[in-house]
Amino acid sequence: MRKFEDSYRHKGLRKQLRDSLSKKGIQDERVLDAINKIPRHFFMDSALDKIAYEDRAFPIGEGQTISQPFTVAYQSQLLELKPFEKVLEIGTGSAYQACVLAEMGAQVYTIERQRNLFDQNKKFFYLKKYPNIKLFFGDGFEGLPTYGPFDKIIVTAAAPLIPTKLISQLKTGGKMVIPVDEGNLQRMVRITKNEDGTILEEKFDLFSFVPMLGGKTNGDRSN
Ligand code: SAH
């Protein structure tokens, strides 16, 4: 069960989370402001209410997780988002990351392969606040060719490799932030598509994500 009350205590814990992320090296004020604003406890079971603002991942059902706030902030910062940019997210999960990007002014197209998580988000009242988020049920390896190209792409599950179909859905000058398998962990990688068609690849820190899986679960409606 989830509870949707946002108390002074929650707000205070959010402010502390914002400050701790800033101390951990997140400098983009727009990212920090979005995290300070969005009630993260709305995105998880009320049993986790007291610990919802700890800087760690939590289970959200279907064996999936809401990413750690530091990871959300880190990926959001690497995107170097500008208002109104079109962003494709792979792995909607709880939709928390999608809300952070939407709060920063992006037009968010987000894909989830787990039917139950997709259905849950379709009914999630808090998302009504963000008409700039569009939810899709499908396989993120395919991207959304009919809605592209995108200014930015963010992958929030561990990718075995960088999917070429996603690179082809990036605009020239566009960037993709993706955690790529390296041993048991993932290396955060940022791809930039240059004017001349070449690709710049930058490597950042190691993280731990749930796997990016092919195909989708039960049902095949796409919207
Ligand atoms: N961005 C999420 C993180 C969710 S964890 C959040 O803020 O909560 C990663 C999610 O990616 C899971 O929900 C998982 O089901 C989903 N996923 C894994 N492989 C996928 C794929 N190929 N296409 C779409 N979603 C995928």
Side-chain angles (χ1 to χ4, degrees), residues 85-98:
E85 278 189 334
K86 252 170 90 172
V87 181
L88 173 65
E89 180 194 26
I90 312 301
T92 315
S94 68
Y96 178 73
Q97 170 77 73

Side-chain angles (χ1 to χ4, degrees), residues 64-65 89 91-94 97 112-114 139-140 156 212-213:
Q64 304 306 327
T65 53
E89 180 194 26
T92 315
S94 68
Q97 170 77 73
E112 174 56 55
R113 68 177 289 280
Q114 288 273 357
D139 178 4
T156 69
M212 183 173 178
L213 303 171

Side-chain angles (χ1 to χ4, degrees), residues 61-72:
E62 309 301 325
Q64 304 306 327
T65 53
I66 175 169
S67 302
Q68 185 180 342
F70 179 71
T71 308
V72 171

Side-chain angles (χ1 to χ4, degrees), residues 1-2 13 39 42 68 151 177 188 204-205:
M1 214 195 49
R2 298 201 204 178
L13 291 172
F42 283 10
Q68 185 180 342
D151 296 291
V177 174
M188 197 64 79
F204 298 91
D205 296 303

